[in-house]
Amino acid sequence: MSKITVSKKAQDYFKKIIEKQKMEGLAIRLTATNVGTPGVECGILYCPKEYITEQDEHFRMDGFEIVIDSAVAPYLDESQIDLTEDDNKQEMLTFHAPNLKKQDLPEDATLRERLQRFFDVTVSPALASHGGAIELVDVSEDGVIKVRFSGGCNGCSMVGITLKEGIESQLNQAFPGVVKEIIDVTDHQATEESFS
């Protein structure tokens, strides 16, 4: 279980903004994207109760809850959230995550190993939420990546958009200057399992 510290001021701030939303069970979600890559980022989002899953770690605060997906929890362990003021005396949340740049792979990990880790932690969970899956098939030395979709993604009419605007965009953010092209090698056949 991760350890999260939220100052009293920050808890009061979260409680006020949650109350304004008038949504029962609304939580705060701490996120980490592109973990284990140069493009790693953390964030704070609203989380309606229907998006809280069994894979989430839960942190009870004063009048609300913070949730973190267990897949990224190690990167947010020992995080500290506080409410401070900027130079113009405007309230500002600060989110310090000392383990955000934690590396699960050895320094000499290959590009394929790094990409596989990225697919496992970032891409696959997002697709799984729609019943889809993706397999990293090949990575060329010049940055051409081949993938194969399955489950709800096989035969889905939105798979091209998911690939180019979603996955390729994420890869370019996580691995700047590395990805030349991403190619879908799936033999798409629409089935009852296809998402749309």
Side-chain angles (χ1 to χ4, degrees):
M1 181 77 159
S2 300
K3 181 181 176 200
I4 306 295
T5 304
V6 183
S7 73
K8 177 74 169 98
K9 282 182 177 181
Q11 287 190 51
D12 291 343
Y13 176 81
F14 283 134
K15 192 173 172 183
K16 275 190 240 174
I17 63 171
I18 286 173
E19 287 170 357
K20 286 181 185 176
Q21 301 307 309
K22 298 184 180 358
M23 291 176 66
E24 185 181 332
L26 185 67
I28 297 293
R29 179 172 294 282
L30 303 185
T31 65
T33 56
N34 303 330
V35 293
T37 74
V40 66
E41 294 180 344
C42 60
I44 301 172
L45 307 169
Y46 289 124
C47 185
K49 64 181 176 183
E50 58 267 25
Y51 294 112
I52 297 173
T53 72
E54 292 177 6
Q55 288 78 39
D56 288 330
E57 289 189 13
H58 298 254
F59 300 88
R60 198 80 204 126
M61 299 289 144
D62 180 20
F64 68 98
E65 186 174 50
I66 290 179
V67 293
I68 303 173
D69 186 303
S70 59
V72 298
Y75 300 93
L76 298 177
D77 187 30
E78 300 180 14
S79 290
Q80 300 171 355
I81 301 173
D82 196 6
L83 186 70
T84 59
E85 290 184 348
D86 64 16
D87 294 339
N88 298 321
K89 303 289 184 200
Q90 297 293 313
E91 290 183 330
M92 178 177 71
L93 275 175
T94 59
F95 185 2
H96 176 65
N99 293 306
L100 193 60
K101 295 189 185 269
K102 176 181 175 176
Q103 291 292 323
D104 294 340
L105 296 171
E107 291 276 327
D108 62 346
T110 65
L111 176 60
R112 183 180 177 96
E113 289 170 331
R114 292 182 190 285
L115 287 166
Q116 186 63 60
R117 175 73 177 138
F118 179 78
F119 273 77
D120 292 345
V121 173
T122 302
V123 180
S124 292
L127 295 179
S129 68
H130 298 289
I134 192 168
E135 172 192 358
L136 180 59
V137 176
D138 188 45
V139 180
S140 72
E141 287 183 23
D142 63 345
V144 176
I145 298 169
K146 294 181 181 176
V147 297
R148 182 177 296 117
F149 290 97
S150 59
C153 293
N154 187 0
C156 174
S157 62
M158 299 297 288
V159 77
I161 292 171
T162 298
L163 185 68
K164 292 296 180 185
E165 295 180 16
I167 298 168
E168 188 171 302
S169 175
Q170 287 178 307
L171 284 168
N172 285 326
Q173 182 182 7
F175 299 91
V178 173
V179 178
K180 178 180 176 184
E181 182 180 13
I182 185 164
I183 300 170
D184 177 10
V185 297
T186 311
D187 179 17
H188 283 282
Q189 297 178 11
T191 67
E192 290 181 12
E193 215 178 19
S194 299
F195 185 65
S196 63

